[in-house]
C-alpha cells in the first residue's frame, strides 16, 4: 500500500507565495489594460464631440450663406461660436471657380497628444504643400461666399 503525502508529514495548507504573486501580477496587468482602454475611449469621445460641433458650425454657415438676408450676421455669429466651443476654433470660407466653395472649420489638437497621434488623427487638414495643420471639417457648398 502506498503512503500518501499526509502520511509522510507533508501537508498542503494553502497557496505558495509564487502562485499569489503570479495571480496579483495578472490582476494588475488586467486593471492597467482596462484603464488604458477607458482613457483611449474618453480621448476619442472628446475628439468626436469637437468634430460634431464643427459640423454644426459649418452647416449653419452654409445655411446662412444660402439665405439672401442676414448671412453676414450669421457668419460672424458662427465664427464666434466656433471660437467659443472649439479649442482655438477658426472658420474660413473659400470660393472656388463656378460658384462652388467650402466652409472649413479648424481647431487645435487635444492637449497631450504626441506628434504621432496628431499625424494619425482622423480628418486633419492638408494644405497645398502637403503639411497637416490640425483637425478640421470641410463642408462644400454651391453659391456665393465671403
Amino acid at each position: 500500500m502506498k503512503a500518501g503525502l499526509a502520511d509522510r508529514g507533508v501537508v498542503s495548507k494553502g497557496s505558495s507565495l509564487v502562485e499569489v504573486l503570479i495571480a496579483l501580477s495578472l490582476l494588475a496587468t488586467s486593471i492597467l489594460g482596462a484603464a488604458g482602454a477607458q482613457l483611449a475611449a474618453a480621448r476619442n469621445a472628446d475628439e468626436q464631440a469637437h468634430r460634431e460641433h464643427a459640423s454644426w458650425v459649418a452647416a449653419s454657415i452654409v445655411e446662412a450663406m444660402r439665405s439672401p438676408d442676414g448671412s453676414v450676421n450669421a457668419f460672424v455669429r458662427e465664427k464666434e461660436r466656433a471660437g467659443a466651443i472649439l479649442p482655438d476654433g477658426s472658420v474660413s470660407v473659400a470660393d472656388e471657380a463656378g460658384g462652388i466653395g467650402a466652409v472649413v472649420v479648424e481647431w487645435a489638437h487635444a492637449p497631450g497628444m504626441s506628434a504621432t497621434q496628431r499625424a494619425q488623427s482622423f480628418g486633419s487638414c492638408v494644405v497645398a504643400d502637403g503639411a497637416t495643420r490640425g483637425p478640421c471639417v470641410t463642408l462644400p457648398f454651391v453659391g456665393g461666399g465671403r
Side-chain angles (χ1 to χ4, degrees), residues 48-146:
Q48 186 59 35
H50 289 322
R51 187 166 310 289
E52 186 174 355
H53 290 138
S55 296
W56 290 340
V57 168
S60 296
I61 290 173
V62 169
E63 276 187 50
M65 294 179 84
R66 287 187 175 188
S67 71
D69 58 333
S71 63
V72 173
N73 291 336
F75 180 73
V76 171
R77 182 179 65 245
E78 292 302 325
K79 278 184 81 165
E80 291 171 358
R81 184 171 146 201
I85 63 176
L86 296 169
D88 296 330
S90 67
V91 176
S92 61
V93 177
D95 277 333
E96 301 294 329
I100 299 173
V103 175
V104 180
V105 181
E106 297 179 78
W107 63 94
H109 284 287
M113 285 183 82
S114 69
T116 305
Q117 290 171 325
R118 285 194 300 269
Q120 294 173 349
S121 74
F122 174 72
S124 292
C125 287
V126 178
V127 291
D129 62 1
T132 57
R133 290 194 295 205
C136 73
V137 168
T138 304
L139 185 63
F141 64 90
V142 176
R146 299 277 155 263

